[in-house]
Amino acid sequence: MIELENLSVQLGGISILSNLSASLKGRAIGLLGPNGSGKSTLINTLLGFFPPSSGTARIFGKDIQTHTKELRTIIGYMPESDSFISEMSGVAFVRYMAEISGLPSNEALERAHEAFYYVGLGEVRYRKIGTYSLGMKQMAKLAQAIVHGPQLLFLDEPTNGLDPPARQRMIKLIGEIRDTPGMHLILSSHLLRDVEECCEEALILRDGKVAAYCNLDEERRSNRKFIEMETVGAKDDFSQAIEQLGCECAWFSNGRAKLVLPQDVEMRQLYSTAAQYSVQIRKMNYRRDSLEDIFLRAMDGKFPQAKVKAQSNGSL
Amino acid sequence: MAVYRRIYRPYSGRFTNENFRFLVLARYGLKTLFDSRPLLAFFVACNIPSLLFVLAIYVSHSTAAQALLNMKGAILNVDNFFFMRYLLFQATLSFLIASWVGPGLVSSDLSNDALPLYFARPFSRTEYVLGKFSVIAILLSSITWVPGLIIFGLQANLAGWEWFSKFYWVAGSIFIGSWLWIALIALLSLALSAWVKWKIASTTLMLGVFFALAAFGEAVNEVLRTSWGKLFNLGYLISVVWLDLFRVEQFSERINVRGSFVQLPAWAAWIALLGLTAFCLLMLNRKLKAREVVR
């Protein structure tokens, strides 16, 4: 769906994205990363708002620099910040956006009503958008993003500021849109749970570079020997010894650690290593890998680089 | 499809011609403006002078009407100066309309951060400016060159071939002169609207550009003992250009002004006005971006 080819973006002389290369093939891709990692810049670049300083990207095989207008016809965009015309009624605003996308006036009106009912704002569609609550505004932004029936939807922090029921509604809608035949979406979010619930794949950015790109289901399946443990007396030497066994290891406060055991390492080797370094293992649980773990490993730079490269090149 | 079918469905219908899509902005912009009754009333009032000019031309050619009104002889000298005066009068009204309408056109999109929504669609910045420009251009056209040409046509029809063959070029002067004025004040108001998001401040600045700059120009003239300070006076510059376009000579005598009407060369006025228009475009180009990069 999206191919990034050594994509670099500089803004104000500062490198924001550097040499991003990846082939994103999933139907729903989560874009993750800490603040300033370049998620929004990547979306803005794909939309043609920022020019690449080097490299390029292709969406559905079309170059973003040479086919900008063509691509925008099939893209829907829900921005992170409040973007609307507050003096217009909800349905007039969405109709206006549909007409700018190229829909004839009558079709635009019909689809604006549909979109408003679809996102659950049917009853308030004649109210001015400026009077909407935050949750309603988020839904109105989603309505304008889908009103022209795009094939690719960019959702930038869609659940920002939503209360739990509203978040659930938003996630449900995104799930329904994702399951529509021929539909693709890119979801940028700080909330790992959103990505976990909506996306098949995750692209994790760190400092403007690809830290990890993975198929979430495959990651979970491949890390069956995933262990959470609580220790007392663990020091750096114990941590190094565990890593020398071949374990991927992430340490948290209070002696908590998450380990991924290679296939050839047995549990008892952990106990014997702990005994060797006088470390008490108070608790040990098997756990399926979560996106949080993948994310944390990627942030620690411990996501296998070979895997990043292989998956970035599309050989999932 | 009925609205109760709450499913997401892709759009597979036809699309409008993208060359004319900017008119969507003009249509919505005009609709929003005419929702304001005071503006609608003022716009209607702006067309009253045109009706009076039409009436005057009709009466000057109708002996029956003259007899009815107890008038004798030629009551109106309709020539190039007549049409220039008409345009000067309408230009004043159109400036007021542009000051009223223009500042809110772009600032409302900017203050609500709506530009990314426009530019995430198959819609360019040029089309955006063209669409917003069209709102003002349509309004101002309908009180300047459109009625101007109708009045010219009426006069040509009533006065006959001899008058037309002598003054046919006035039609071009009305058209070009009006469009220069429209382009100038429309782009100026849009540029100010883009840079000053607060509508009242933007309107004040618009008036300031015309009146404060003119005062500044006069101060320059006094201090430096020159007349080039008039280049800061936009009203003066457009008058000089119109004098040139309408081929009006001995202007000060014809309008009975005291003292001489110091006239800068027409080319200087043209360059200054076109330069300002280009500057406004540059300002719009710098400001109208989907995402602003903060350095």
Side-chain angles (χ1 to χ4, degrees):
Chain A
M1 174 182 57
I2 296 176
E3 286 167 60
L4 310 175
E5 263 186 27
N6 297 317
L7 182 71
S8 298
V9 176
Q10 284 193 343
L11 300 175
I14 299 166
S15 176
I16 309 294
L17 299 176
S18 55
N19 287 318
L20 292 192
S21 288
S23 179
L24 314 180
K25 293 185 172 170
R27 287 176 48 219
I29 294 159
L31 208 52
L32 289 168
N35 290 335
S37 59
K39 303 185 299 289
S40 294
T41 304
L42 177 57
I43 288 182
N44 287 328
T45 306
L46 292 174
L47 282 165
F49 294 166
F50 298 145
S53 51
S54 67
T56 191
R58 280 188 291 276
I59 300 176
F60 297 128
K62 289 170 183 162
D63 194 289
I64 57 166
Q65 290 174 284
T66 54
H67 294 80
T68 314
K69 212 163 186 178
E70 206 175 320
L71 284 170
R72 285 177 182 168
T73 309
I74 53 171
I75 289 176
Y77 173 51
M78 177 184 174
E80 179 186 2
S81 56
D82 273 355
S83 294
F84 45 78
I85 300 168
S86 54
E87 301 84 22
M88 289 179 110
S89 72
V91 75
F93 167 67
V94 174
R95 180 191 189 186
Y96 181 47
M97 288 295 136
E99 286 195 52
I100 290 171
S101 294
L103 272 67
S105 187
N106 288 339
E107 279 86 339
L109 179 62
E110 186 183 319
R111 284 192 65 95
H113 281 285
E114 271 184 46
F116 254 74
Y117 271 99
Y118 180 66
V119 300
L121 296 181
E123 300 301 318
V124 295
R125 64 192 191 279
Y126 293 115
R127 256 174 59 184
K128 286 187 176 177
I129 295 189
T131 67
Y132 283 8
S133 67
L134 186 59
M136 287 172 171
K137 283 176 185 168
Q138 288 291 91
M139 291 300 181
K141 279 197 288 178
L142 179 63
Q144 66 77 30
I146 62 172
V147 68
H148 55 293
Q151 292 172 36
L152 172 62
L153 198 54
F154 287 115
L155 304 169
D156 202 352
E157 308 281 359
T159 57
N160 249 7
L162 296 183
D163 59 23
R167 180 189 163 278
Q168 275 307 322
R169 273 204 308 277
M170 178 65 85
I171 294 293
K172 183 172 167 281
L173 286 172
I174 293 172
E176 281 177 21
I177 294 169
R178 177 199 61 202
D179 294 336
T180 307
M183 189 68 194
H184 300 79
L185 63 91
I186 303 278
L187 187 150
S188 165
S189 180
H190 287 99
L191 303 173
L192 303 181
R193 213 174 132 202
D194 290 355
V195 173
E196 209 154 22
E197 287 180 40
C198 297
C199 300
E200 300 161 348
E201 297 180 355
L203 177 70
I204 303 174
L205 298 178
R206 188 189 58 194
D207 299 330
K209 297 187 175 92
V210 176
Y213 174 54
C214 53
N215 182 302
L216 297 177
D217 279 340
E218 284 184 17
E219 275 303 309
R220 288 185 197 114
R221 277 199 298 274
S222 66
N223 291 319
R224 285 181 194 283
K225 292 177 82 175
F226 185 83
I227 289 168
E228 275 184 348
M229 67 178 184
E230 277 182 28
T231 62
V232 174
K235 291 178 184 162
D236 286 350
D237 50 358
F238 176 65
S239 172
Q240 283 167 8
I242 293 281
E243 283 176 12
Q244 278 169 9
L245 288 175
C247 300
E248 286 177 44
C249 186
W251 285 92
F252 303 94
S253 58
N254 300 325
R256 288 186 302 116
K258 291 181 178 180
L259 311 177
V260 180
L261 260 61
Q263 295 296 331
D264 56 335
V265 175
E266 298 293 327
M267 293 286 285
R268 64 181 172 192
Q269 286 177 268
L270 285 181
Y271 284 110
S272 59
T273 309
Q276 194 182 334
Y277 289 92
S278 305
V279 173
Q280 295 175 27
I281 296 177
R282 290 281 179 87
K283 192 175 172 185
M284 189 180 275
N285 288 330
Y286 272 109
R287 233 184 107 242
R288 281 172 64 87
D289 204 0
S290 71
L291 180 56
E292 187 183 354
D293 304 307
I294 297 168
F295 180 75
L296 289 172
R297 272 188 291 141
M299 288 303 104
D300 286 347
K302 290 178 179 172
F303 196 85
Q305 285 304 303
K307 220 169 179 178
V308 171
K309 281 181 187 161
Q311 291 177 346
S312 298
N313 291 332
S315 52
L316 280 169
Chain B
M1 182 177 285
V3 292
Y4 60 79
R5 289 188 63 180
R6 295 176 194 182
I7 52 161
Y8 175 76
R9 63 181 177 110
Y11 178 70
S12 53
R14 69 184 180 87
F15 286 93
T16 52
N17 186 332
E18 55 184 71
N19 294 329
F20 299 105
R21 216 168 276 168
F22 70 91
L23 290 174
V24 172
L25 266 64
R27 184 156 51 82
Y28 275 81
L30 287 170
K31 184 181 174 303
T32 309
L33 291 176
F34 284 126
D35 283 345
S36 158
R37 286 186 183 175
L39 179 70
L40 183 63
F42 184 65
F43 179 72
V44 171
C46 287
N47 281 300
I48 292 174
S50 301
L51 290 175
L52 293 177
F53 273 81
V54 166
L55 198 65
I57 286 175
Y58 175 74
V59 170
S60 71
H61 289 95
S62 167
T63 47
Q66 286 173 16
L68 202 65
L69 294 169
N70 264 341
M71 292 175 171
K72 285 180 183 172
I75 58 163
L76 204 60
N77 180 23
V78 182
D79 58 1
N80 49 343
F81 186 59
F82 172 88
F83 283 101
M84 189 186 142
R85 268 197 307 196
Y86 168 77
L87 208 54
L88 276 169
F89 193 76
Q90 292 302 94
T92 310
L93 296 174
S94 60
F95 172 71
L96 293 176
I97 285 197
S99 303
W100 190 337
V101 166
L105 283 176
V106 179
S107 60
S108 61
D109 288 338
L110 281 170
S111 57
N112 290 307
D113 199 20
L115 288 185
L117 300 183
Y118 287 96
F119 301 143
R121 298 181 146 75
F123 199 72
S124 65
R125 278 192 294 172
T126 309
E127 286 168 306
Y128 180 83
V129 173
L130 208 54
K132 296 290 182 182
F133 177 86
S134 303
V135 177
I136 304 179
I138 290 169
L139 275 178
L140 301 195
S141 292
S142 59
I143 60 169
T144 53
W145 65 269
V146 172
L149 288 182
I150 291 172
I151 294 169
F152 177 83
L154 180 72
Q155 166 64 17
N157 186 39
L158 294 174
W161 175 251
E162 192 184 342
W163 185 90
F164 180 75
S165 60
K166 192 177 172 190
F167 291 111
Y168 66 92
W169 51 270
V170 170
S173 303
I174 293 170
F175 186 76
I176 295 169
S178 299
W179 270 109
L180 180 67
W181 176 244
I182 290 168
L184 177 73
I185 57 173
L187 288 175
L188 183 64
S189 63
L190 290 180
L192 291 175
S193 173
W195 280 84
V196 185
K197 291 181 187 174
W198 194 27
K199 190 181 171 185
I200 295 172
S202 183
T203 306
T204 310
L205 202 57
M206 175 90 178
L207 297 171
V209 166
F210 269 80
F211 299 113
L213 269 185
F216 174 73
E218 286 307 313
V220 169
N221 284 344
E222 286 299 316
V223 173
L224 301 178
R225 301 201 178 282
T226 176
S227 57
W228 288 98
K230 286 185 178 293
L231 285 176
F232 290 101
N233 187 339
L234 299 183
Y236 169 84
L237 292 178
I238 198 75
S239 302
V240 171
V241 167
W242 282 349
L243 285 172
D244 184 41
L245 278 173
F246 284 90
R247 303 177 194 174
V248 174
E249 289 161 1
Q250 297 170 323
F251 181 59
S252 52
E253 290 166 22
R254 297 195 66 168
I255 60 170
N256 298 321
V257 290
R258 287 171 190 271
S260 59
F261 180 82
V262 179
Q263 194 169 326
L264 290 179
W267 60 262
W270 273 103
I271 289 174
L273 290 178
L274 292 176
L276 180 66
T277 309
F279 180 72
C280 291
L281 278 173
L282 188 71
M283 290 291 100
L284 280 169
N285 185 48
R286 285 194 65 173
K287 197 66 185 173
L288 296 178
K289 289 179 178 167
R291 295 278 178 226
E292 196 156 354
V293 178
V294 180
R295 289 171 194 272

